[in-house]
Each structure stands twice: as C-alpha cells, then as structure tokens.
Amino acid sequence: MTTTAPFGRALCAMITPFTEEGALDLDGAQRLADHLVSHGCDGLVLSGTTGESPTTTDAEKAALVEAVREAVGDRASVVTGVGTADTRHTVELARQAEKAGADGVLVVSPYYSRPPQDALEEHFRTVADASGLPVALYDIPGRTGTRIESDTMIRLAEHPRIVAVKDCSYDLLAAQKVLSCTELAYYAGCDEHNLALYAVGGAGYISTVANVVPSELRAVLDAFEAGDTPVSARLQQRATPLIELMMSAGLPGTVTTKALLNELGLPAGTVRAPLRPAGRETVDGLLAAYEELTAG
C-alpha cells in the first residue's frame, strides 16, 4: 500500500505552556507554535501526553486549539488530543475540537478500564462518527494498559475518517503488518524509532523531542527522502543522547522538555501536579546534550 502523510511528516507533540502560577499561557503557546513551524514542523499535536492533557480542562483544550490555529494559520496542521477513559466525553471533545478549528484529532485507547478489543473498536468508531475530522489512533499500551491489536487496526482502517496511527507500541513487526495491508499513516511516537519506522513505510513522526530540536529531527527525514541513507542514519544517531536523556532517563518527557525550553528562553513555564519540575542536575545534563547536538 502507498502511505500518505495526512498531517505532514514532521509533527511536534507540543507542550502546553503555563505561567509560573500554573495558568494556561495562550500567548506563550502562540509564540512556541510559530517558532516550531518556522523551524521545520509540518504539524502540531496539542493536548497529548506531552501537552499534559490529563490536567487541562475542556475549555483550556479548546482555547489552545483556537490560539494555535490563529498563530500558524495554514502553514501547519493542528491536531488535538481528545482521548479520555469515557467514550461520551471523548465524543464531546472531538466535536469541540472541530468547532475550535482543528484539522484532526488524536484518540488514545481508553485507559484504566482496559476494554476488550471489540469494545475498543466500537469506541474508536463512535468517536470517528461524531465529527467530520480525520482521526489518528494513539497506541501507547505502556500508559493505557490496552494494546490496539493489529487485526483491530486493520478493521478500523476501513472507516473513512480513521486515517493515521501514532505508534508507541515498540512493535515494528506489528506496524509493518498493518502498513502492508492498509493505507493508515503510521507516525512514530517514540523518537528512537523516527527513522526506523519511516524507512519501512511510516508517514513521519509525532515527536516530543521536536519541541527543542525541530530542525535537527526534520533533517533525518529530509536526508532519507533525498536518498542519502547513511547521512540520515548518522543524524538519527547523533540525536540519540538527547533523545535518551529526554525520554528514557526516569522523568516524563513533559518535564524534561519544559526544563530545556525554559533554559532556551522559549515559552514553557511550570508543569502541573502531580508532575514536578526537573532538578538542576538534570537540567544541566539536558542542556549539555542539547548543546552537543546543535553545535556546528
């Protein structure tokens, strides 16, 4: 099957900027969105895991979409997370996202309740039927407790508005199985898989690390598209130390991303409880890895 990239190739899972008092910083969100698009992002994914969606209100989610849409115009796609543990609530958020001006919605598996595959399939179909927006399924079993199995993905691909997957399953074989028999656009949701998934037919990435190095990550895909696989591999390898520190060093990516953005003078602010800011030692390590990647 030929896979297209319905939301672009290089997408950033954008953080949600807050003020130091913890309020939503819409001006900061607009400035960060403009910065990211100006530095190579084709699309922005709001209110996902990195965007602290569990601790933002429905009204804040809608306001964020409206503000970012205004900031980027038609220069980039705007996708927003609407997934919750409740099908009814998820439907409401999908309709709200459409009214707010989103180009698509990201729908995570209902967490905690761990529905069986037939119930999971019905959940996604119900949400896809609720609005006119294209849907990206978000498969992240390490957080939700429920895998979207390959056969379920294949059946869901028959729905005209289910067009993409954000893949955090760490299962390249399953991804290739679905890619081989559907037209679903697979986006790497784990930065260490950005190139690997792209090389076997993926559409691109939805990256947390792109908040701080958007152009460096885009360069990986650009080199591969240009046919220079060795350069693409070297660029991915060069980003690995920063990816590891930001995503696999014991702190959530939201925490490490906001720590770095604050150091770089870009809008981020604090995190909301139960998350806590990174300590100084962690920040210094992140900054050193960032400077090594971006030097020269």
Side-chain angles (χ1 to χ4, degrees), residues 275-294:
L275 297 181
R276 299 174 62 187
R280 188 66 243 175
E281 183 177 352
T282 297
V283 174
D284 289 342
L286 289 165
L287 194 56
Y290 168 85
E291 290 173 346
E292 182 175 357
L293 174 58
T294 56

Side-chain angles (χ1 to χ4, degrees), residues 36-59:
L36 293 171
V37 173
S38 297
H39 286 78
C41 291
D42 300 322
L44 303 172
V45 178
L46 312 176
S47 296
T49 307
T50 305
E52 298 179 76
S53 59
T55 58
T56 57
T57 67
D58 292 1

Side-chain angles (χ1 to χ4, degrees), residues 113-190:
S113 56
R114 301 183 68 180
Q117 292 297 303
D118 59 345
L120 191 62
E121 183 177 344
E122 183 177 356
H123 169 83
F124 287 126
R125 289 184 182 277
T126 300
V127 176
D129 287 339
S131 82
L133 293 178
V135 172
L137 308 175
Y138 187 6
D139 190 19
I140 183 166
R143 287 183 181 269
T144 65
T146 303
R147 179 75 189 274
I148 310 175
E149 299 291 349
S150 299
D151 289 344
T152 304
M153 291 277 196
I154 292 167
R155 290 192 299 271
L156 286 168
E158 298 170 359
H159 195 290
R161 281 190 293 279
I162 297 177
V163 301
V165 177
K166 179 181 179 181
D167 182 34
C168 290
S169 69
Y170 286 95
D171 189 343
L172 283 172
L173 178 60
Q176 290 175 78
K177 177 182 176 179
V178 178
L179 280 167
S180 71
C181 56
T182 77
E183 295 184 358
L184 287 174
Y186 255 74
Y187 290 93
C190 306

Side-chain angles (χ1 to χ4, degrees), residues 22-42:
L24 182 62
D25 181 3
L26 291 177
D27 177 68
Q30 290 188 316
R31 287 187 286 120
L32 180 61
D34 179 71
H35 168 83
L36 293 171
V37 173
S38 297
H39 286 78
C41 291
D42 300 322

Side-chain angles (χ1 to χ4, degrees), residues 14-15 17 25-26 28-34 37 43-46 61-79 100-101:
M14 197 178 99
I15 59 105
D25 181 3
L26 291 177
Q30 290 188 316
R31 287 187 286 120
L32 180 61
D34 179 71
V37 173
L44 303 172
V45 178
L46 312 176
K61 289 177 173 67
L64 186 63
V65 171
E66 291 170 357
V68 170
R69 174 89 282 161
E70 181 181 11
V72 304
D74 60 2
R75 294 181 294 148
S77 64
V78 177
V79 179

Side-chain angles (χ1 to χ4, degrees), residues 1-15:
M1 292 289 184
T2 301
T3 299
T4 59
F7 306 116
R9 294 183 302 143
L11 278 68
C12 177
M14 197 178 99
I15 59 105

Side-chain angles (χ1 to χ4, degrees), residues 52 251-252 254-256 258-259 270-279:
E52 298 179 76
L251 288 175
T254 303
V255 174
T256 55
K258 283 195 165 182
T270 188
V271 292
R272 284 183 176 172
L275 297 181
R276 299 174 62 187

